[in-house]
């Protein structure tokens, strides 16, 4: 398992009864987590006095309950590569805060690849494409490491949020293209234009709809999209990363897909694993999805 264990401003304090107790900077949140199927004693103090608690509804969805929590606050991520990233947080619909902290395990991985490549080849420009890019965690990590990044997300509000994070991280002038677009249609146009990228990151949703009602179901859509996206990799690509929060897309499934699509064309090697966060109350690891990584050795 790949573990995001380089955080100072974020921490999973405890987990029990379908919920996780988290510290986001100076604030404590309680949020539901479907992986937490155990019912262990809630001994941590934060359970009794959180700053925010998302209550799941039996009818679907849910709502926040707040206790002395600001509308917005920020946390810092340095990581092993001293990235110096600042993320604005604000609780919004369906329990989210605007950041998936477990992804820091991947940020550290590919920022090291970018930094090492530029150290060996300082004249090279590394072009990274981040698809389904959300609030920009991967975008900022790649840009801080020295890459030129194209950030694509279909939600205008998420792209605006990512820009705010970039500004707070001192990356306002970094070579980042911010695009509000359907990811599949964007890749199709890039193929027609003949544009290529040295690395691709994708964090596709389990389910979604495009601007014209197009249905995205990850189990049906991700493999053909991987095949499509492989067409815009450069002749000397560095890496390809796919994330999944869908239980049906286990690490072995991601490995199989990437092995069949990428290795015959580019060589290199594929690894896939669960990603997780350490739980400070007991030293165990909370699973948080899976990632598949291809790297050209």
């Amino acid at each position: 398992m790949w573990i995001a264990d380089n955080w100072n401003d974020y921490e999973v304090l405890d987990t029990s009864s379908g919920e996780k107790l988290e510290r986001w900077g100076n604030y404590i949140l309680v949020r539901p987590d479907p992986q937490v199927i155990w019912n262990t004693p809630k001994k941590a103090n934060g359970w009794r006095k959180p700053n925010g608690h998302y209550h799941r509804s039996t009818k679907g969805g849910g709502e926040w309950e707040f206790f002395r929590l600001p509308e917005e606050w920020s946390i810092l991520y340095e990581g092993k590569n001293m990235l110096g990233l600042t993320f604005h947080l604000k609780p919004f619909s369906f329990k989210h805060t605007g950041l998936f902290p477990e992804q820091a395990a991947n940020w550290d991985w590919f920022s090291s690849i970018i930094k090492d490549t530029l150290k060996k080849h300082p004249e090279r420009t590394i072009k990274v494409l981040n698809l389904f890019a959300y609030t920009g965690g991967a975008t900022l990590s790649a840009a801080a490491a020295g890459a030129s990044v194209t950030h694509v997300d279909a939600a205008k509000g998420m792209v605006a949020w990512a820009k705010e994070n970039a500004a707070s991280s001192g990356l306002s002038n970094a070579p980042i293209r911010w695009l509000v677009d359907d990811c599949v249609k964007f890749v199709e146009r890039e193929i027609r234009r003949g544009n290529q990228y040295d690395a691709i990151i994708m964090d596709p949703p389990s389910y979604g709809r495009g601007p014209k009602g197009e249905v995205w179901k990850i189990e049906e859509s991700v493999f053909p999209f991987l095949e499509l996206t492989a067409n815009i990799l450069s002749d000397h690509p560095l890496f390809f990363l796919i994330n999944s929060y869908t239980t049906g897309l286990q690490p072995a499934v991601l490995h199989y897909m990437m092995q069949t699509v990428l290795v015959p064309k580019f060589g290199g090697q594929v690894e896939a694993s669960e990603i997780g966060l350490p739980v400070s109350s007991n030293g165990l690891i909370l699973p948080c999805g899976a990632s598949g990584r291809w790297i050209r050795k």
Side-chain angles (χ1 to χ4, degrees), residues 93-151:
S93 61
F94 196 63
K95 77 179 181 181
H96 296 309
T97 63
L99 188 68
F100 292 100
E102 63 273 9
Q103 285 300 322
N106 286 321
W107 304 341
D108 287 346
W109 171 71
F110 65 69
S111 62
S112 292
I113 296 172
I114 294 168
K115 280 179 169 287
D116 291 347
T117 301
L118 291 175
K119 185 176 181 180
K120 295 175 183 176
H121 306 282
E123 77 289 348
R124 179 172 178 174
T125 298
I126 297 174
K127 295 176 60 180
V128 176
L129 174 61
N130 187 14
L131 298 165
F132 311 99
Y134 197 50
T135 58
T139 294
L140 304 189
S141 301
S148 173
V149 187
T150 298
H151 173 110

Side-chain angles (χ1 to χ4, degrees), residues 16-22 29-36 47 52-57 61-64 94-96 286:
S16 182
S17 304
E19 295 181 315
K20 56 188 172 185
L21 179 70
E22 305 167 289
L29 301 182
V30 177
R31 297 192 297 156
D33 191 313
Q35 300 283 358
V36 181
W47 288 114
H53 191 166
Y54 187 89
H55 299 280
R56 179 82 76 188
S57 171
E63 62 180 2
W64 281 98
F94 196 63
K95 77 179 181 181
H96 296 309
L286 176 66

Side-chain angles (χ1 to χ4, degrees), residues 88-268:
H88 295 284
L89 306 174
K90 45 191 172 186
F92 66 108
S93 61
F94 196 63
K95 77 179 181 181
H96 296 309
T97 63
L99 188 68
F100 292 100
E102 63 273 9
Q103 285 300 322
N106 286 321
W107 304 341
D108 287 346
W109 171 71
F110 65 69
S111 62
S112 292
I113 296 172
I114 294 168
K115 280 179 169 287
D116 291 347
T117 301
L118 291 175
K119 185 176 181 180
K120 295 175 183 176
H121 306 282
E123 77 289 348
R124 179 172 178 174
T125 298
I126 297 174
K127 295 176 60 180
V128 176
L129 174 61
N130 187 14
L131 298 165
F132 311 99
Y134 197 50
T135 58
T139 294
L140 304 189
S141 301
S148 173
V149 187
T150 298
H151 173 110
V152 186
D153 196 282
K156 185 177 181 180
M158 293 299 105
V159 176
W161 194 336
K163 287 182 180 181
E164 292 176 9
N165 288 335
S168 296
S169 301
L171 295 169
S172 293
N173 297 320
I176 303 173
R177 295 172 63 208
W178 305 101
L179 300 175
V180 179
D181 205 343
D182 177 86
C183 290
V184 176
K185 287 182 169 51
F186 173 78
V187 171
E188 290 172 342
R189 289 196 300 273
E190 289 294 85
I191 292 172
R192 293 195 294 269
R193 294 166 181 148
N195 290 334
Q196 294 184 322
Y197 297 87
D198 302 303
I200 294 173
I201 300 162
M202 65 168 70
D203 199 347
S206 297
Y207 179 85
R209 287 189 178 273
K212 295 184 179 179
E214 305 94 334
V215 175
W216 170 280
K217 293 182 179 179
I218 193 168
E219 296 92 338
E220 300 173 2
S221 304
V222 69
F223 183 73
F225 188 51
L226 170 59
E227 291 182 303
L228 184 73
T229 307
N231 291 311
I232 56 173
L233 281 172
S234 66
D235 293 337
H236 301 284
L238 294 178
F239 65 86
F240 201 120
L241 170 67
I242 302 178
N243 295 309
S244 170
Y245 293 92
T246 303
T247 54
L249 261 64
Q250 299 173 13
V253 176
L254 296 174
H255 189 288
Y256 198 104
M257 289 194 307
M258 300 179 81
Q259 185 79 28
T260 56
V261 173
L262 299 173
V263 173
K265 187 174 183 179
F266 299 103

